[in-house]
Amino acid sequence: MTTSEAPGVVRLGPGAVILGIESSCDETGAGLVRLTDAGPELLGQEIASSSDQHARFGGVVPEIASRAHLEAMTHTVRTAFARSDIAPGRVDAIAVTSGPGLAGALLVGVAAAKAYAAAWDVPLFGVNHLAGHVAADTLEHGPLPRPTLALLVSGGHTQLLRIDDLAGRITEVGTTVDDAAGEAYDKVARLLGLGYPGGPIIDQLAAAGDPAAIRFPRGLTGPQDAPYDFSFSGLKTAVARFVESIERAGGSVPVEDVCASFQEAVADVLTAKTVRAATDLGIGTVVVAGGVAANGRLRALARERCAAAGLALRIPRPGLCTDNGAMIAAVGAHLVAAGARPSGPFLTGDPAMPVARVLAD
Ligand code: KG4
Ligand code: ZN
């Protein structure tokens, strides 16, 4: 199935199967996709999470995450094959998260992927985790229109990206100047004593609260502020001050209202800036991706505001928003469909891999 053109370039056609391996944070993911004329199709996947082991620390402990990846990797890969009805090893290429992420955690995935690629004699592509979050949407909704504006909201990143081509042309339009949206969720959950990860817990509690109960600040929304950048550390501090003032006065914290009002501030800023950027840049399609894209209020408000602005909106189903191996396989699929040079034998984890770099050397 492999045809070479420029020396070393691998280009695969419909029917090719790609294994994706993810290990950048606390989820060990393996997913299999098949290339079709309409883009990558998800065959099956498995995810093992170590989040329970981090809960009592209120955030991910890198050494614990690395160890958990090591313990979960082979079983996760084997299960992904079983779920996909593909015989183990019957793949045409492997994609693995090269970065960004935790150094030790990345290394486990890269080492495993190298071993599988050598054993099965298939090309290996070290790919960008952030491109993976966006590519996840193509598993559900098909190829992205060019260009598409992506709002990428995860535990480590909050960015607006212009996507001209998932196989290589991604440009940052805006980013957070301090905390990521998911980080703000996790920190607010921690200060409310709700556990880790904070996003799903706050999402759930917010449903019973009043989003207008407390007017928390909307970062970087003044007339002089960078229109496409984000800031969430002031919001987190405002929540902390609010909670402290109630506790000092001996009152009980209205947790549901705090969650709903915090969540409203996050969703309001994210969607307002996204719609503004798409409109200013003349981009007609928006995709929301990353773990925070699983958030109920963000999904609803994005739907409402994109419709009002005449923008097409795509959001992967919640299970494809949080970290998984299928999204990494999807990046691999876009790369081999376009023709790409596999990563070399010195491929390693790159904790600070820039978003514009989809494929590692
Ligand atoms: O993309 P992801 O799985 O991992 C990273 O690449 O960081 O995102 C994880 C983040 C965490 O901060 C988590 O609290 C947040 O996504 N998250 C949510 C929801 N589900 C996960 N945030 C808000 N609402 C949710 N339903
Ligand atoms: Zn992620």
Side-chain angles (χ1 to χ4, degrees), residues 202-303:
I202 290 181
D203 197 355
Q204 206 184 336
L205 288 170
D210 175 6
I214 310 138
R215 175 76 193 177
F216 285 128
R218 271 66 171 160
L220 287 187
T221 51
Q224 308 300 325
D225 291 329
Y228 314 137
D229 284 343
F230 302 93
S231 167
F232 293 106
S233 79
L235 170 60
K236 171 202 64 194
T237 306
V239 175
R241 294 289 163 272
F242 178 81
V243 169
E244 278 164 24
S245 70
I246 292 200
E247 284 173 344
R248 218 178 301 118
S252 71
V253 177
V255 174
E256 281 98 349
D257 284 350
V258 172
C259 289
S261 301
F262 160 77
Q263 178 159 285
E264 194 61 23
V266 175
D268 181 17
V269 174
L270 289 175
T271 53
K273 292 199 174 224
T274 303
V275 167
R276 175 162 177 193
T279 308
D280 289 354
L281 299 172
I283 300 176
T285 302
V286 166
V287 56
V288 184
V292 183
N295 184 261
R297 182 58 184 147
L298 176 59
R299 297 171 81 92
L301 198 55
R303 227 172 278 129

Side-chain angles (χ1 to χ4, degrees), residues 121-219:
D121 193 21
V122 292
L124 174 63
F125 298 85
V127 308
N128 193 304
H129 179 85
L130 306 177
H133 275 303
V134 180
D137 185 70
T138 66
L139 292 171
E140 199 175 353
H141 300 124
L144 289 176
R146 298 182 183 194
T148 288
L149 183 75
L151 169 66
L152 174 74
V153 271
S154 71
H157 294 80
T158 297
Q159 292 172 317
L160 281 168
L161 305 170
R162 179 189 163 111
I163 315 282
D164 285 288
D165 180 358
L166 263 176
R169 282 206 300 147
I170 298 180
T171 320
E172 187 179 288
V173 173
T175 189
T176 179
V177 298
D178 41 53
D179 291 351
E183 191 179 353
Y185 266 94
D186 295 335
K187 286 179 174 171
V188 166
R190 189 173 176 175
L191 72 89
L192 290 170
L194 300 175
Y196 170 87
I201 308 168
I202 290 181
D203 197 355
Q204 206 184 336
L205 288 170
D210 175 6
I214 310 138
R215 175 76 193 177
F216 285 128
R218 271 66 171 160

Side-chain angles (χ1 to χ4, degrees), residues 22 24-25 129-130 133 154-155 290-291 321-324 327:
E22 154 64 27
S24 66
C25 191
H129 179 85
L130 306 177
H133 275 303
S154 71
C321 289
T322 41
D323 289 351
N324 63 82
M327 70 188 207

Side-chain angles (χ1 to χ4, degrees), residues 85-113:
D85 238 352
I86 299 278
R90 303 299 300 211
V91 298
D92 301 287
I94 299 176
V96 62
T97 302
S98 178
L102 302 169
L106 289 167
L107 215 51
V108 176
V110 169

